[in-house]
Amino acid sequence: MAEPISPYDVAIVGLGPTGATLANLLGAAGLSVLVIEKEAGIFPLPRAIHFDGEVLRILQGAGLRDEVLAIARAGTQGMHFVNAAGDTMLIRGGTSALGPHGCANNYYFHQPQLEAVLRAGLARFPRVELRLQHALTGLVTDAQGVTLSVRDTQSGRESTARARYVVGCDGARSPVRQHMGSPMQDLGLRQPWLVFDVVLEQPMALPDHTVQYCDPARPMTYCNVVGPRRRWEIMVMPGDDHEALVHPASLWQMVAPWVKPEQARLERAAIYTFHSVIAQGWRQGRLLLAGDACHQTPPFLGQGMCAGIRDAANLAWKLEAVLSRQAPDALLDTYETERSPHVRSLIELAVRLGNIIQTTDPALAAERDAKFRAGRPEIFELPPQMLGAGAFDAACGTPAGQPFPQPRLADGRLLDELLGRRSAVIGSAEAIASASPATLEHWQRAGAIVIDRPEPPLANWLDAHAARAVVLRPDRYIVGVARTGPDLDRISQYLPVAP
């Protein structure tokens, strides 16, 4: 009789930024993880170029903050929307001040370097196994877990593996999603753009910030990436010959106002169709989706990769809680209900901005310009990160379901360095003492850290929200704020505990 296959806690299909982040977070939790990736190595050319402060905080939680900062630059100048006459209509705000996550609000980077950092991080975890050049060929789910059929793309050898849960981080064409049969809802934007990446060979007087050139004759985007890397995204117009468009002579002609071929080296030119879609059904029993497998957003906000990494952070602590039997399997049902509304709001905002950028009718562009010209350039920020209904006390209202800020403490540490992967209760000594004995026991069983002498930044936050205490999840989202002892007892019940 064959020996039973020892199951992994989690199998991850796909080792892009979402899958690699999830593998790092699960590895840090001590779980056994199998990662299946069909490619041999990291795709060497630029793709994603922006992440935000919350993403850096998540990667800090994976123990990779310094390594990520070493390959990224802070984006402090925002994003400017400029019309054909050169007038600035709209600005996405930028600042050199630290944001709420204990870092800058925006960063630019070269994706192959970030993926190298994430993959190197996995070497720290002996219970994380990588199988590169392996393709998923089948999934069979039963009451105890999932059997994965896998093919070595070099030798053709077929094998199987067992996992308690499988997460498809396998991109826009996700085989895991296809197996689940989760439909994709189109949110209204489908447009081909030419993406043109260069490496400058000499110093150039180019903008430090991102510029959206809202010219109806040919909408374009310019990005200062990192180091000498620059990107232009160029809208493909009706009647364009796609093959001719990516020819170097055509490329250099379109960016001639900014750079000439002797001043920069062409690294990549490719036409991509920007999509705005979201899956309905991110979970089917022991199968889950994350990243591009369940949502794709136009790049006008730089939030595509960010959304996938937020998925990983939301899912990681819940998988850990369920697999350690601190929480019922039903906790995983809150993954989609929490994340999907926020992803949808970002996609819808990106689509609205895309409609501004992609206006090609001169009359409509003139009407748009006149509306903005009526006042100063409008400055906007990303909407606050707000979860949909799930594992927090929505009855509290704002700020429940939003991230708690990460100040630097008196000893020099950032807050998350003190908290680690634990839940937390922060409040005055009087507020903590008002909790019932059952709640005190609940905190102990949940492994929560209790801070009853909050330092000034924490105490000031409580005062600003007229709160005596706040309860945080392991992903640093706020379960709820308490103004009375019964409030604290109620919201504490959302923290998962061992039976």
Side-chain angles (χ1 to χ4, degrees):
M1 181 175 178
E3 291 291 319
I5 303 171
S6 178
Y8 296 89
D9 290 319
V10 180
I12 298 171
V13 183
L15 191 57
T18 299
T21 298
L22 181 59
N24 272 280
L25 293 171
L26 297 177
L31 299 179
S32 62
V33 180
L34 171 66
V35 186
I36 297 167
E37 168 56 52
K38 65 180 183 296
E39 302 298 337
I42 295 168
F43 184 71
L45 298 177
R47 287 187 287 181
I49 60 172
H50 168 268
F51 62 82
D52 59 31
E54 186 179 9
V55 166
L56 182 62
R57 186 176 184 180
I58 291 167
L59 298 177
Q60 172 193 329
L64 298 171
R65 177 186 172 100
D66 291 344
E67 292 84 349
V68 172
L69 285 174
I71 56 95
R73 72 165 185 89
T76 60
Q77 304 301 313
M79 177 188 293
H80 295 226
F81 294 70
V82 178
N83 65 17
D87 300 322
T88 299
M89 303 182 294
L90 188 65
I91 299 173
R92 175 181 166 184
T95 176
S96 58
L98 291 183
H101 297 288
C103 57
N105 286 332
N106 296 286
Y107 290 89
Y108 290 86
F109 71 105
H110 182 48
Q111 182 169 330
Q113 292 179 327
L114 177 64
E115 291 199 43
V117 166
L118 293 171
R119 292 194 185 196
L122 294 176
R124 299 170 295 169
F125 308 120
R127 302 193 74 201
V128 175
E129 178 185 341
L130 303 186
R131 294 190 193 175
L132 302 178
Q133 295 180 283
H134 281 72
L136 179 72
T137 59
L139 293 165
V140 178
T141 304
D142 56 49
Q144 285 72 46
V146 184
T147 299
L148 301 90
S149 297
V150 180
R151 178 174 55 83
D152 184 322
T153 59
Q154 290 295 101
S155 68
R157 179 178 174 270
E158 301 278 350
S159 62
T160 59
R162 287 279 293 171
R164 293 185 170 89
Y165 292 93
V166 172
V167 184
C169 303
D170 47 348
R173 298 181 179 88
S174 170
V176 176
R177 186 187 70 239
Q178 292 174 23
H179 176 87
M180 292 167 60
S182 297
M184 299 292 275
Q185 180 185 3
D186 193 326
L187 298 183
L189 188 148
R190 180 183 175 86
Q191 172 63 45
W193 280 67
L194 168 64
V195 180
F196 176 45
D197 288 283
V198 305
V199 179
L200 299 179
E201 301 282 9
Q202 61 189 62
M204 298 286 299
L206 293 169
D208 291 332
H209 53 273
T210 296
V211 184
Q212 301 284 0
Y213 291 103
C214 307
D215 183 347
R218 175 80 75 177
M220 302 176 88
T221 301
Y222 160 81
C223 302
N224 173 14
V225 185
V226 65
R229 297 182 183 279
R230 301 293 184 272
R231 169 175 291 180
W232 281 265
E233 295 171 354
I234 303 165
M235 184 170 162
V236 177
M237 304 293 282
D240 278 340
D241 182 327
H242 289 204
E243 185 175 342
L245 205 61
V246 298
H247 190 277
S250 298
L251 295 169
W252 291 115
Q253 183 179 3
M254 285 187 287
V255 299
W258 300 279
V259 66
K260 295 178 173 53
E262 62 270 19
Q263 296 170 319
R265 171 171 54 85
L266 172 60
E267 188 169 33
R268 182 190 67 153
I271 292 174
Y272 290 90
T273 298
F274 295 166
H275 295 280
S276 57
V277 294
I278 188 166
Q280 296 173 306
W282 297 19
R283 183 188 183 201
Q284 186 183 92
R286 294 179 177 272
L287 305 178
L288 301 114
L289 301 171
D292 284 357
C294 53
H295 46 73
Q296 296 145 49
T297 180
F300 306 121
L301 282 172
Q303 283 293 307
M305 187 192 78
C306 298
I309 289 179
R310 286 191 182 93
D311 293 346
N314 187 285
L315 198 49
W317 77 270
K318 293 175 180 178
L319 283 167
E320 179 185 0
V322 170
L323 287 163
S324 64
R325 299 185 179 180
Q326 278 196 302
D329 175 86
L331 178 63
L332 295 173
D333 290 334
T334 68
Y335 165 56
E336 181 176 1
T337 65
E338 288 186 348
R339 288 289 303 133
S340 181
H342 180 245
V343 169
R344 179 182 291 269
S345 71
L346 286 176
I347 294 175
E348 289 173 346
L349 177 56
V351 169
R352 290 197 297 273
L353 293 175
N355 290 337
I356 294 172
I357 298 163
Q358 296 183 151
T359 299
T360 56
D361 183 299
L364 292 177
E367 182 180 337
R368 173 202 66 194
D369 295 354
K371 289 179 181 177
F372 282 106
R373 197 179 296 123
R376 289 183 167 185
E378 181 181 336
I379 299 176
F380 75 98
E381 303 286 352
L382 283 181
Q385 316 300 346
M386 180 68 201
L387 300 176
F392 63 94
D393 188 0
C396 285
T398 304
Q402 294 182 336
F404 190 75
Q406 180 180 214
R408 194 170 289 279
L409 305 176
D411 63 5
R413 287 184 295 175
L414 291 163
L415 176 64
D416 293 1
E417 294 176 289
L418 169 65
L419 302 184
R421 297 192 332 278
R422 295 173 287 183
S423 303
V425 183
I426 302 170
S428 66
E430 180 185 11
I432 300 301
S434 71
S436 70
T439 295
L440 298 176
E441 181 187 357
H442 190 93
W443 294 343
Q444 184 175 19
R445 289 168 58 204
I449 181 171
V450 178
I451 300 174
D452 60 2
R453 294 182 180 178
E455 294 187 17
L458 303 176
N460 292 342
W461 187 93
L462 291 170
D463 290 344
H465 291 83
R468 298 175 64 209
V470 61
V471 177
L472 308 181
R473 311 187 324 185
D475 62 354
R476 303 297 157 252
Y477 275 73
I478 298 168
V479 174
V481 295
R483 297 174 176 89
T484 66
D487 284 349
L488 193 51
D489 293 338
R490 185 187 72 253
I491 64 179
S492 295
Q493 300 311 304
Y494 285 87
L495 299 181
V497 298

